[in-house]
Amino acid sequence: MAGGTQAELAALLGDVARGDRRAFALLFERTAAKLKASVYRILRSEAAAEDAVQDAYLRIWRRAADFDAAIASPIAWMTTIARHAAIDMVRRGAERVSAAGDAIDAEVIERLADPAGGGEQRATSDQIRSCLERLEADRRGMVLLAYCYGWSREELAGRYGRPAATVKTILRRSLIALKECLGGGR
Amino acid sequence: MADADRDDLDALAGEFVLGTLPADERRAAEARYTADPAFRRLVSDWESRLQLLADTAGDVPVSSTLRERVLNAVAAAPAAGEPGDNVLDLRRSVRRWRAVSAIVGAAAAVLAAIVVTDQTRPAPQTEFVAVLTAGGESPAFVATVNTAAGTISVRRVTAVAPPDKSYELWSIAPDEAPKSLGVVEASYSQPLPVPPSAELTLAITLEPKGGSPTGAPSGPPVFSGKLVATEE
């Protein structure tokens, strides 16, 4: 991918917050393929994914001043916006091909085992993988389906045969367990 | 903040990033992200923690058509920082309110949702929703704007003012001083002197009984939020 270091992306976002459209074009170049991958995984349709990417970048344009370089990672901040844009489309009833349930956590965990970056990223990646594997299978599946595939509490409730309110509790407990396993900080 | 509250807030931040919050709660969390640095930090930590999962999606190239569409759309949109950008307006309002007040952070741990909607048309194209946050999850007020009649009604859900105080509602247009919409009593309905729009921030302050004696807010908002247009 075109990429760009976190510092470069943060600087671009700073320029975008001041209304710099050239910086915005550069930011798009460097990050669009990555954001599209995240939304494509949720929407499973080329056309819907491109619509979601467009929506996401308009939100990024409007909200760039919200980005706080002191505490947030630019790509992670943009990823949340993009995933939310895709999830909004799904919730509005955009057609999506449902991801086949069972293969999912295996697939994601498999990929965590082979991160693009080496070294430090590899270490972090191993850590989150082992923390995910420590979660009960259902809980792990819920977290991954929600994060990677944009499943709602209701969809998860249907699949796992639990009330939606219980799913909320399970998701929150699983996240906190994950956080504690990862050491509380980042 | 009590530990239990902090844990709840952390779990809320986690679920916000995860993407499983219902739409209204997500909008509340977004407004809170803008207004509350502590929440922003919790969200950022969750984003960083989970980013490796997003990275497993890899890259999917975008079409040149999409690139053009996005750049054209942005060329036509108001820039962040230009009038018409309501997120920035909200942030300015929040900063302005904080600047005039030394009591930052003392507000109650409550959150108010103001829902502004046109109830006269059978199928409104746009619904305005504003979420007033001050530090919690449960709505304290719900307000409804009847755009045809030009009135705003507010229903109290959970908030209770101390006996010697009154809640006062304010509308804040970009770069203008807060305009009082009157004291919010148990049953409140008033003319809305300004058109409801996504540029408007609504805020509620605690004032001496009967309302601010000066016509300007005398303290920071205990609940505040911007109007946002939502698609139906």
Side-chain angles (χ1 to χ4, degrees):
Chain A
M1 73 175 197
T5 67
Q6 296 284 296
E8 283 165 1
L9 296 179
L12 284 175
L13 272 173
D15 292 340
V16 170
R18 287 183 287 275
D20 184 338
R21 290 183 167 85
R22 278 178 57 195
F24 179 81
L26 259 173
L27 185 70
F28 182 90
E29 298 286 350
R30 296 192 175 172
T31 53
K34 191 169 178 60
L35 296 198
K36 187 175 168 187
S38 273
V39 303
Y40 183 83
R41 189 157 64 173
I42 292 168
L43 293 160
R44 304 254 154 182
S45 139
E46 177 68 22
E50 295 228 321
D51 286 349
V53 170
Q54 174 166 357
D55 189 7
Y57 278 94
L58 285 174
R59 295 183 191 193
I60 288 165
W61 173 253
R62 285 199 307 269
R63 295 188 200 161
D66 257 2
F67 174 72
D68 183 347
I71 57 170
S73 137
I75 197 64
W77 181 79
M78 294 171 73
T79 298
T80 299
I81 290 177
R83 289 176 48 255
H84 283 172
I87 287 168
D88 286 342
M89 286 183 67
V90 171
R91 306 276 194 272
R92 283 202 302 267
E95 199 175 318
R96 68 166 168 173
V97 183
S98 187
D102 296 339
I104 280 165
D105 40 326
E107 178 190 325
V108 172
I109 287 179
E110 190 75 12
R111 292 209 187 170
L112 276 174
D114 185 26
E120 202 175 310
Q121 175 157 22
R122 181 55 181 260
T124 331
S125 181
D126 282 348
Q127 199 191 3
I128 195 168
R129 185 160 67 114
S130 89
C131 288
L132 278 168
E133 281 172 345
R134 240 186 259 183
L135 290 178
E136 222 174 87
D138 277 9
R139 297 184 166 211
R140 178 171 63 240
M142 285 189 192
V143 169
L144 290 175
L145 280 170
Y147 185 85
C148 298
Y149 297 90
W151 283 38
S152 66
R153 287 179 191 162
E154 288 71 24
E155 287 173 300
L156 293 169
R159 175 179 153 130
Y160 290 95
R162 302 287 194 92
T166 309
V167 168
K168 167 185 165 176
T169 308
I170 293 176
L171 285 173
R172 293 190 174 196
R173 284 192 186 143
S174 307
L175 285 172
I176 297 304
L178 201 54
K179 172 182 168 175
E180 280 166 3
C181 175
L182 289 168
R186 289 190 172 187
Chain B
M1 195 184 292
D3 282 357
D5 287 348
R6 197 188 148 77
D7 286 351
D8 284 351
L9 194 61
D10 199 14
L12 174 72
E15 235 202 312
F16 171 70
V17 173
L18 195 64
T20 44
L21 289 182
D24 55 337
E25 289 179 34
R26 165 123 67 78
R27 282 196 292 271
E30 279 169 355
R32 185 167 187 160
Y33 182 93
T34 302
D36 177 356
F39 185 65
R40 201 150 61 224
R41 180 174 292 277
L42 292 173
V43 168
S44 300
D45 287 349
W46 278 112
E47 286 173 342
S48 296
R49 260 178 223 124
L50 297 175
Q51 183 60 29
L52 281 170
L53 294 177
D55 293 345
T56 60
D59 288 343
V60 176
V62 296
S63 66
S64 54
T65 335
L66 174 65
R67 182 178 183 281
E68 233 166 83
R69 258 164 59 195
V70 170
L71 296 185
N72 287 341
V74 158
E82 288 172 7
D85 176 62
N86 55 50
V87 172
L88 193 78
D89 293 341
L90 168 66
R91 188 172 26 257
R92 279 191 189 134
S93 304
V94 168
R95 283 197 185 131
R96 192 160 50 228
W97 285 73
R98 282 183 181 155
V100 298
S101 162
I103 326 171
V104 174
V110 191
L111 166 149
I114 287 199
V115 179
V116 180
T117 180
D118 183 343
Q119 295 192 314
T120 59
R121 276 183 244 157
Q125 293 175 313
T126 307
E127 176 181 61
F128 285 102
V129 177
V131 181
L132 305 191
T133 69
E137 276 190 72
S138 43
F141 290 96
V142 176
T144 309
V145 166
N146 182 324
T147 52
T151 56
I152 179 168
S153 320
V154 177
R155 193 160 59 85
R156 199 182 70 195
V157 182
T158 58
V160 180
D164 57 335
K165 301 276 187 188
S166 296
Y167 282 127
E168 188 160 352
L169 180 68
W170 307 84
S171 79
I172 311 163
D175 297 318
E176 284 177 22
K179 195 173 290 177
S180 176
L181 300 180
V183 168
V184 180
E185 306 289 359
S187 161
Y188 170 102
S189 184
Q190 297 284 330
L192 183 63
V194 289
S197 82
E199 292 183 11
L200 214 58
T201 298
L202 296 173
I204 286 175
T205 55
L206 259 185
E207 300 291 342
K209 196 83 188 161
S212 164
T214 63
S218 48
V222 284
F223 318 111
S224 76
K226 61 176 172 148
L227 298 189
V228 289
T230 62
E231 294 156 64
E232 234 344 277

